[in-house]
Amino acid sequence: SKEFALIANYTDKTLLRNSMAYYMGRNIFNSFKWSQNCRQCHVYFNEKYQGVYLLLEKITIEPNRVNIANLKDCKNEKQFEHFGYILEFNYREDEEFNFITPKGVTVSLNTPHASQIKPELQQKIHDYILQFEEALYSPDFNVASSANYYGNYIDVDSFIDWYFINEISKNRDAKFFSSCYCYFDNADKLIHMGPLWDFDIGFGN
């Protein structure tokens, strides 16, 4: 793994909020297939002290992080379900491919970048998320024998744990404003919530 982030946590004077959320994801509500490790560190640049930063594993598709087959390796639409991708609920719409669902949820393709996949695969992502939303708001969404059953689309445990952590932390971004990630796992053909990201304005901050 070569991709890491240095997080300033400028708005969090305790420097603990992100670390605490990731700790909960790894050790308490731990149904996520992967949750970041992080370390507090003193940062110097050109021998000048810059302060305490959080060194953090970035959300990437690779065997030791989000371990899914990358959609950028998909050759055609027929192979779509055999590859995975990472989405962000992202009010800013600052990725290459973004769309808004009929219920008003803004979805961005985070990984791979839209320029790395064919337009027809972007459309397949759009259609699949809208299909899931339509099923979720159907009258029989919680009937296991129904084609609209929500469990046919999502890894339920990861969604439950994601909600627990965001409720406990009072995460303001958790209303799907930004920094809320999920991914499609080609192994079980389900949407998994997570990995966690960005809790510096949580926990009552």
Side-chain angles (χ1 to χ4, degrees):
S1 297
K2 296 182 178 179
E3 295 194 36
F4 296 84
L6 276 175
I7 305 298
N9 284 331
Y10 180 77
T11 60
D12 176 13
K13 304 310 178 187
T14 73
L15 304 178
L16 293 174
R17 289 176 166 85
N18 270 315
S19 297
M20 183 61 189
Y22 302 140
Y23 177 86
M24 287 195 293
R26 292 192 310 273
N27 299 288
I28 302 174
F29 303 102
N30 56 359
S31 64
F32 305 108
K33 288 191 174 181
W34 174 76
S35 194
Q36 301 91 319
N37 271 300
C38 59
R39 295 289 186 274
Q40 301 281 357
C41 59
H42 294 284
V43 174
Y44 293 82
F45 185 73
N46 290 338
E47 299 183 357
K48 292 184 178 180
Y49 183 61
Q50 304 297 321
V52 179
Y53 281 67
L54 189 68
L55 180 64
L56 177 65
E57 294 176 311
K58 290 184 68 175
I59 298 172
T60 58
I61 296 177
E62 55 182 282
N64 293 320
R65 296 192 183 173
V66 180
N67 188 15
I68 55 179
N70 197 324
L71 187 63
K72 71 178 182 180
D73 298 322
C74 183
K75 304 302 181 185
N76 56 60
E77 291 180 71
K78 292 182 180 179
Q79 298 177 335
F80 176 74
E81 290 189 354
H82 299 289
F83 292 86
Y85 47 88
I86 300 174
L87 301 174
E88 180 185 2
F89 301 105
N90 177 19
Y91 180 79
R92 297 184 179 92
E93 299 183 67
D94 53 6
E95 296 289 352
E96 294 176 0
F97 176 57
N98 314 275
F99 60 92
I100 300 176
T101 72
K103 296 296 183 181
V105 179
T106 305
V107 182
S108 298
L109 176 60
N110 179 273
T111 308
H113 296 300
S115 58
Q116 296 177 306
I117 63 174
K118 297 178 180 181
E120 53 264 35
L121 295 178
Q122 299 174 28
Q123 187 63 43
K124 292 282 282 186
I125 294 171
H126 171 274
D127 294 347
Y128 185 75
I129 295 301
L130 264 59
Q131 181 182 347
F132 165 50
E133 183 179 81
E134 183 177 352
L136 187 62
Y137 283 87
S138 67
D140 54 348
F141 77 98
N142 61 345
V143 179
S145 60
S146 167
N148 291 323
Y149 178 55
Y150 68 93
N152 295 334
Y153 293 89
I154 66 171
D155 173 66
V156 177
D157 289 343
S158 68
F159 271 72
I160 291 172
D161 281 3
W162 187 89
Y163 270 95
F164 269 130
I165 291 171
N166 280 277
E167 283 290 305
I168 291 169
S169 66
K170 299 183 180 179
N171 184 15
R172 293 171 60 87
D173 288 335
K175 57 184 179 180
F176 286 2
F177 176 78
S178 68
S179 300
C180 300
Y181 290 88
C182 67
Y183 61 92
F184 178 80
D185 189 340
N186 52 287
D188 57 17
K189 307 295 187 293
L190 297 174
I191 299 169
H192 292 246
M193 204 64 199
L196 303 168
W197 193 259
D198 194 10
F199 287 77
D200 60 337
I201 61 170
F203 295 99
N205 189 15

mmCIF file of all heavy atoms in Angstrom, residues 3 22 25 49 66 86 89 100 118 145 167 172 174 180 193 204:
data_model
loop_
_atom_site.group_PDB
_atom_site.id
_atom_site.type_symbol
_atom_site.label_atom_id
_atom_site.label_comp_id
_atom_site.label_asym_id
_atom_site.label_seq_id
_atom_site.Cartn_x
_atom_site.Cartn_y
_atom_site.Cartn_z
ATOM 1 N N GLU A 3 -0.712 4.571 -0.672
ATOM 2 C CA GLU A 3 -1.519 5.790 -0.601
ATOM 3 C C GLU A 3 -1.961 6.056 0.838
ATOM 4 O O GLU A 3 -2.671 5.257 1.443
ATOM 5 C CB GLU A 3 -2.739 5.683 -1.521
ATOM 6 C CG GLU A 3 -2.357 5.614 -2.987
ATOM 7 C CD GLU A 3 -3.546 5.853 -3.890
ATOM 8 O OE1 GLU A 3 -4.409 6.680 -3.535
ATOM 9 O OE2 GLU A 3 -3.610 5.215 -4.959
ATOM 10 N N TYR A 22 -12.469 5.664 13.910
ATOM 11 C CA TYR A 22 -11.824 4.543 13.244
ATOM 12 C C TYR A 22 -11.571 3.394 14.219
ATOM 13 O O TYR A 22 -11.634 2.218 13.831
ATOM 14 C CB TYR A 22 -10.514 4.993 12.597
ATOM 15 C CG TYR A 22 -10.704 6.113 11.591
ATOM 16 C CD1 TYR A 22 -9.797 7.159 11.502
ATOM 17 C CD2 TYR A 22 -11.803 6.138 10.743
ATOM 18 C CE1 TYR A 22 -9.971 8.194 10.599
ATOM 19 C CE2 TYR A 22 -11.995 7.168 9.838
ATOM 20 C CZ TYR A 22 -11.071 8.197 9.773
ATOM 21 O OH TYR A 22 -11.253 9.218 8.882
ATOM 22 N N GLY A 25 -14.685 1.477 14.394
ATOM 23 C CA GLY A 25 -14.878 0.674 13.194
ATOM 24 C C GLY A 25 -14.016 -0.571 13.163
ATOM 25 O O GLY A 25 -14.407 -1.597 12.590
ATOM 26 N N TYR A 49 8.556 22.820 12.349
ATOM 27 C CA TYR A 49 7.463 22.052 12.951
ATOM 28 C C TYR A 49 6.116 22.563 12.452
ATOM 29 O O TYR A 49 5.829 23.769 12.490
ATOM 30 C CB TYR A 49 7.547 22.161 14.469
ATOM 31 C CG TYR A 49 6.503 21.336 15.202
ATOM 32 C CD1 TYR A 49 6.455 19.962 15.060
ATOM 33 C CD2 TYR A 49 5.576 21.951 16.045
ATOM 34 C CE1 TYR A 49 5.517 19.201 15.732
ATOM 35 C CE2 TYR A 49 4.626 21.201 16.721
ATOM 36 C CZ TYR A 49 4.604 19.826 16.557
ATOM 37 O OH TYR A 49 3.672 19.084 17.218
ATOM 38 N N VAL A 66 -9.791 -2.051 0.446
ATOM 39 C CA VAL A 66 -11.088 -2.485 -0.083
ATOM 40 C C VAL A 66 -10.789 -3.554 -1.132
ATOM 41 O O VAL A 66 -10.432 -3.240 -2.276
ATOM 42 C CB VAL A 66 -11.874 -1.301 -0.680
ATOM 43 C CG1 VAL A 66 -13.221 -1.790 -1.211
ATOM 44 C CG2 VAL A 66 -12.085 -0.215 0.366
ATOM 45 N N ILE A 86 -16.236 1.962 -5.777
ATOM 46 C CA ILE A 86 -16.479 2.708 -4.541
ATOM 47 C C ILE A 86 -17.290 3.953 -4.872
ATOM 48 O O ILE A 86 -16.952 4.700 -5.797
ATOM 49 C CB ILE A 86 -15.157 3.110 -3.856
ATOM 50 C CG1 ILE A 86 -14.332 1.873 -3.506
ATOM 51 C CG2 ILE A 86 -15.442 3.934 -2.597
ATOM 52 C CD1 ILE A 86 -12.945 2.194 -2.969
ATOM 53 N N PHE A 89 -21.492 9.327 -1.125
ATOM 54 C CA PHE A 89 -22.653 10.217 -1.062
ATOM 55 C C PHE A 89 -22.091 11.614 -0.842
ATOM 56 O O PHE A 89 -21.522 11.915 0.205
ATOM 57 C CB PHE A 89 -23.604 9.781 0.043
ATOM 58 C CG PHE A 89 -24.092 8.370 -0.147
ATOM 59 C CD1 PHE A 89 -23.601 7.328 0.624
ATOM 60 C CD2 PHE A 89 -25.032 8.079 -1.121
ATOM 61 C CE1 PHE A 89 -24.039 6.025 0.429
ATOM 62 C CE2 PHE A 89 -25.474 6.779 -1.320
ATOM 63 C CZ PHE A 89 -24.976 5.748 -0.543
ATOM 64 N N ILE A 100 -27.970 12.393 -9.169
ATOM 65 C CA ILE A 100 -28.903 12.562 -8.054
ATOM 66 C C ILE A 100 -30.058 11.593 -8.260
ATOM 67 O O ILE A 100 -30.668 11.555 -9.332
ATOM 68 C CB ILE A 100 -29.412 14.012 -7.972
ATOM 69 C CG1 ILE A 100 -28.242 14.968 -7.770
ATOM 70 C CG2 ILE A 100 -30.410 14.164 -6.817
ATOM 71 C CD1 ILE A 100 -28.639 16.437 -7.781
ATOM 72 N N LYS A 118 -15.878 2.794 -19.292
ATOM 73 C CA LYS A 118 -16.709 3.170 -20.427
ATOM 74 C C LYS A 118 -18.019 3.811 -19.950
ATOM 75 O O LYS A 118 -18.532 3.477 -18.879
ATOM 76 C CB LYS A 118 -17.011 1.943 -21.277
ATOM 77 C CG LYS A 118 -15.771 1.320 -21.903
ATOM 78 C CD LYS A 118 -16.130 0.079 -22.698
ATOM 79 C CE LYS A 118 -14.883 -0.540 -23.333
ATOM 80 N NZ LYS A 118 -15.213 -1.740 -24.122
ATOM 81 N N SER A 145 -39.025 -12.778 0.878
ATOM 82 C CA SER A 145 -39.336 -13.524 -0.343
ATOM 83 C C SER A 145 -39.584 -12.612 -1.540
ATOM 84 O O SER A 145 -39.739 -13.089 -2.666
ATOM 85 C CB SER A 145 -40.570 -14.408 -0.120
ATOM 86 O OG SER A 145 -41.699 -13.603 0.240
ATOM 87 N N GLU A 167 -24.347 7.575 14.616
ATOM 88 C CA GLU A 167 -25.254 8.068 15.662
ATOM 89 C C GLU A 167 -24.483 8.407 16.937
ATOM 90 O O GLU A 167 -24.668 9.471 17.533
ATOM 91 C CB GLU A 167 -26.327 7.016 15.959
ATOM 92 C CG GLU A 167 -27.427 6.945 14.918
ATOM 93 C CD GLU A 167 -28.323 8.167 14.961
ATOM 94 O OE1 GLU A 167 -28.869 8.489 16.034
ATOM 95 O OE2 GLU A 167 -28.467 8.819 13.907
ATOM 96 N N ARG A 172 -22.266 14.996 11.631
ATOM 97 C CA ARG A 172 -23.144 15.864 10.839
ATOM 98 C C ARG A 172 -23.120 15.505 9.357
ATOM 99 O O ARG A 172 -24.084 15.763 8.635
ATOM 100 C CB ARG A 172 -22.743 17.326 11.036
ATOM 101 C CG ARG A 172 -22.986 17.834 12.452
ATOM 102 C CD ARG A 172 -22.381 19.217 12.655
ATOM 103 N NE ARG A 172 -22.936 20.201 11.744
ATOM 104 C CZ ARG A 172 -24.042 20.913 11.990
ATOM 105 N NH1 ARG A 172 -24.708 20.730 13.110
ATOM 106 N NH2 ARG A 172 -24.491 21.794 11.117
ATOM 107 N N ALA A 174 -23.246 12.592 8.188
ATOM 108 C CA ALA A 174 -23.892 11.299 7.982
ATOM 109 C C ALA A 174 -25.265 11.395 7.338
ATOM 110 O O ALA A 174 -25.852 10.376 6.987
ATOM 111 C CB ALA A 174 -24.011 10.554 9.318
ATOM 112 N N CYS A 180 -19.318 10.045 2.983
ATOM 113 C CA CYS A 180 -20.045 8.817 3.319
ATOM 114 C C CYS A 180 -19.832 7.837 2.173
ATOM 115 O O CYS A 180 -20.317 8.066 1.054
ATOM 116 C CB CYS A 180 -21.530 9.093 3.518
ATOM 117 S SG CYS A 180 -21.896 10.262 4.839
ATOM 118 N N MET A 193 -21.619 -0.781 3.265
ATOM 119 C CA MET A 193 -21.420 0.577 3.761
ATOM 120 C C MET A 193 -20.023 0.706 4.330
ATOM 121 O O MET A 193 -19.490 -0.229 4.937
ATOM 122 C CB MET A 193 -22.459 0.913 4.835
ATOM 123 C CG MET A 193 -22.717 2.398 4.995
ATOM 124 S SD MET A 193 -23.425 3.124 3.528
ATOM 125 C CE MET A 193 -23.059 4.856 3.809
ATOM 126 N N GLY A 204 -20.216 16.046 18.789
ATOM 127 C CA GLY A 204 -20.628 17.296 19.401
ATOM 128 C C GLY A 204 -19.754 18.497 19.059
ATOM 129 O O GLY A 204 -19.915 19.572 19.665
#
